[in-house]
Amino acid sequence: WRVHEAARISGYLDVPEPFLTDADAAWLPRDRVVLVCTGSQGEARSALSRIAHGDHPNVVLEAGDTLIYSSREIPGNEAAIQRIQSLLVGRGVRLITAEDAPVHVSGHPARDEIETVYQWLRPQIAVPMHGDQRRLRAQADLARSLQIPDVVVPTDGAMIRLAPGRPEVVDHVAADRLGLDGNRLVALGGEVVRDRVRMLHNGAVVATVVVNGDGRVVNDPTVALMGLADADGAEDLIDLVAGAVRDAVEELPRARRRDDANVGEAARVAARRALRSVTGKRPMTTIHVVRV
């Protein structure tokens, strides 16, 4: 809809009849409607995904309807696509894919099509985007061959000044992919996601050790395990970790036992070593030192 509106306002698209919205189309006979929607790669919140899961506000596919997949699977998306297709087939929807008929339409323009767009627009500046450096530079070479005066090939985070004067890269902004984590955006390469991945593969352990002013352990450490043991095997593993933590703290020289950082590090190393010996895992380990 955004592309259609921009093209119409700019004068590049002139259709004799306006496209109907999905809400309008819902009132027409089913055999007189063609819907064009996003979601051919199984994207979670795309229109097709919502239709397949039955939570689209206006569109419902029923037995006898036909769905044409005018795309090929992008490697890595096979499972997501299969889930969507299975949901639709389960409703009696007929699927036509590139394996069944010549319906594949590339989402990437060919060289002559790009040349046509440049000839339509006649830009003064070309900034190739959305590709690796090899493809960006090929696009830049094409633009130069069509006598576009200024061409800038960016890298991720490049800040480009377009005017006044000739366009150029004037600064770089730290750039990272972001993901929606609950109600906030987090860097996919940041500490939050790294910690989640570590816990996924190795589990986590939290231990609380209570010591007095001299660093003597007052009572047995409290241990909680996440993703490391089933209920019937957790008690033995907890006892093992608690004993290892107690021994490690009590074996410290008296002077080091009076420092919370030393106590916490000794307990952390002992807990990880004990768990690795039994599970083969290196869990995320958090130690709370309480001094009384």
Side-chain angles (χ1 to χ4, degrees):
W1 278 112
R2 288 194 300 269
V3 172
H4 163 263
E5 184 68 10
R8 190 185 60 78
I9 292 174
S10 302
Y12 294 110
L13 180 65
D14 183 16
V15 293
E17 296 291 338
F19 292 114
L20 299 179
T21 67
D22 49 350
D24 294 330
W27 295 94
L28 296 177
R30 304 185 68 80
D31 61 347
R32 304 293 294 172
V33 178
V34 174
L35 298 169
V36 180
C37 64
T38 58
S40 65
Q41 298 303 315
E43 299 90 338
R45 297 306 299 165
S46 65
L48 186 58
S49 177
R50 297 183 67 188
I51 293 169
H53 285 90
D55 62 0
H56 193 282
N58 297 312
V59 181
V60 177
L61 293 186
E62 300 174 348
D65 290 337
T66 298
L67 176 65
I68 300 174
Y69 259 81
S70 60
S71 64
R72 293 194 178 101
E73 294 178 348
I74 294 175
N77 294 340
E78 295 90 349
I81 294 171
Q82 188 61 46
R83 283 194 296 271
I84 299 299
Q85 292 184 349
S86 294
L87 288 171
L88 293 167
V89 170
R91 295 186 178 188
V93 175
R94 177 190 177 208
L95 289 183
I96 299 177
T97 71
E99 297 178 355
D100 306 312
V103 295
H104 173 247
V105 179
S106 175
H108 302 278
R111 185 183 181 92
D112 59 339
E113 294 170 316
I114 297 174
E115 290 178 355
T116 299
V117 172
Y118 277 138
Q119 290 163 359
W120 284 346
L121 300 179
R122 299 189 180 280
Q124 297 300 302
I125 303 170
V127 182
M129 311 233 357
H130 194 60
D132 56 33
Q133 280 294 306
R134 181 168 67 90
R135 289 172 174 80
L136 294 182
R137 293 187 181 277
Q139 179 72 225
D141 291 340
L142 173 61
R144 293 188 186 99
S145 73
L146 297 173
Q147 286 74 53
I148 295 177
D150 292 304
V151 181
V152 180
V153 179
T155 56
D156 287 347
M159 181 184 294
I160 302 171
R161 186 190 65 225
L162 299 179
R166 300 192 64 180
E168 62 178 336
V169 176
V170 296
D171 200 356
H172 279 81
V173 178
D176 194 359
R177 290 182 299 168
L178 300 178
L180 183 61
D181 180 41
N183 294 325
R184 59 179 183 159
L185 290 174
V186 300
L188 295 185
E191 185 176 352
V192 171
V193 175
R194 287 199 301 270
D195 286 348
R196 296 272 180 83
V197 173
R198 287 177 58 195
M199 286 189 285
L200 170 67
H201 294 289
N202 292 286
V205 56
V206 178
T208 301
V209 56
V210 181
V211 296
N212 61 20
D214 291 330
R216 293 290 182 184
V217 179
V218 174
N219 50 30
D220 288 338
T222 301
V223 178
L225 304 176
M226 284 76 75
L228 288 165
D230 295 326
D232 56 357
E235 186 174 349
D236 291 341
L237 202 54
I238 287 172
D239 291 341
L240 173 68
V241 173
V245 168
R246 172 188 281 274
D247 293 344
V249 174
E250 292 183 341
E251 289 172 3
L252 285 172
R254 178 176 296 181
R256 296 189 63 191
R257 290 203 305 267
R258 292 173 178 168
D259 183 273
D260 288 354
N262 287 329
V263 172
E265 180 61 15
R268 187 188 71 83
V269 171
R272 279 172 58 91
R273 185 177 295 139
L275 286 168
R276 186 183 177 191
S277 68
V278 174
T279 66
K281 300 288 187 180
R282 295 184 176 89
M284 285 192 63
T285 305
T286 303
I287 304 294
H288 298 294
V289 178
V290 178
R291 195 171 292 273
V292 296

